[in-house]
Amino acid sequence: MNTIPKHVASRTLTEVKWNATLLGDDVVDAVRKLKEQPGGDILKVGTGGSFSRTLLEHGLVDEYLFWLFPVIAGSGERLYDGIDTTDFDLIEVKRLTNGVVGLTYVPNAR
């Protein structure tokens, strides 16, 4: 993990370390340019927040992996508050022995 290049979206940072690069003020353009480069997949860790909403709104997410844990928590924010309905197709299910389920979705092309 230490050698993998990291790209940081931030409204407050002016510099980053640990093999990282700031995406800059126009994160949509920066992510589009990253997607055009050769080299494999781009992984964004975490689901909520304005950056996730921005990526979804601009069609920059090719695949979602949601891990479903058998725990109920009674608080927290909605993952994509303010986003209109987006349909997805389930393409893979991974079931772990501890009850955790990994669900892989792609945006619906309809």
Side-chain angles (χ1 to χ4, degrees), residues 13 26-28 36 42-43 47 51-52 60 74 76-77 82-83 87 91 96 98-99 109:
L13 293 176
D26 188 349
V27 294
V28 171
E36 292 171 358
I42 299 170
L43 173 66
T47 54
F51 184 53
S52 293
L60 294 171
E77 66 180 68
I83 295 290
D87 295 320
I91 62 167
L96 305 182
N98 62 358

Side-chain angles (χ1 to χ4, degrees), residues 6-106:
K6 289 129 191 90
H7 302 277
V8 178
S10 175
R11 291 187 179 114
T12 58
L13 293 176
T14 57
E15 65 178 86
V16 290
K17 298 178 182 171
W18 194 43
N19 196 21
T21 304
L22 279 173
L23 290 177
D25 293 333
D26 188 349
V27 294
V28 171
D29 185 55
V31 171
R32 280 194 179 118
K33 287 178 180 173
L34 282 173
K35 288 175 62 91
E36 292 171 358
Q37 295 178 11
D41 297 332
I42 299 170
L43 173 66
K44 185 220 173 267
V45 179
T47 54
S50 63
F51 184 53
S52 293
R53 287 190 293 275
T54 298
L55 294 175
L56 178 60
E57 288 170 341
H58 290 89
L60 294 171
V61 179
D62 299 318
E63 182 177 287
Y64 288 88
L65 175 57
F66 295 104
W67 289 101
L68 179 61
F69 291 82
V71 175
I72 295 175
S75 64
E77 66 180 68
R78 293 173 47 131
L79 292 179
Y80 293 98
D81 207 16
I83 295 290
D84 289 335
T85 301
T86 304
D87 295 320
F88 298 95
D89 292 321
L90 178 66
I91 62 167
E92 186 177 7
V93 176
K94 290 183 182 178
R95 181 179 176 156
L96 305 182
T97 57
N98 62 358
V100 174
V101 180
L103 306 167
T104 303
Y105 291 91
V106 295

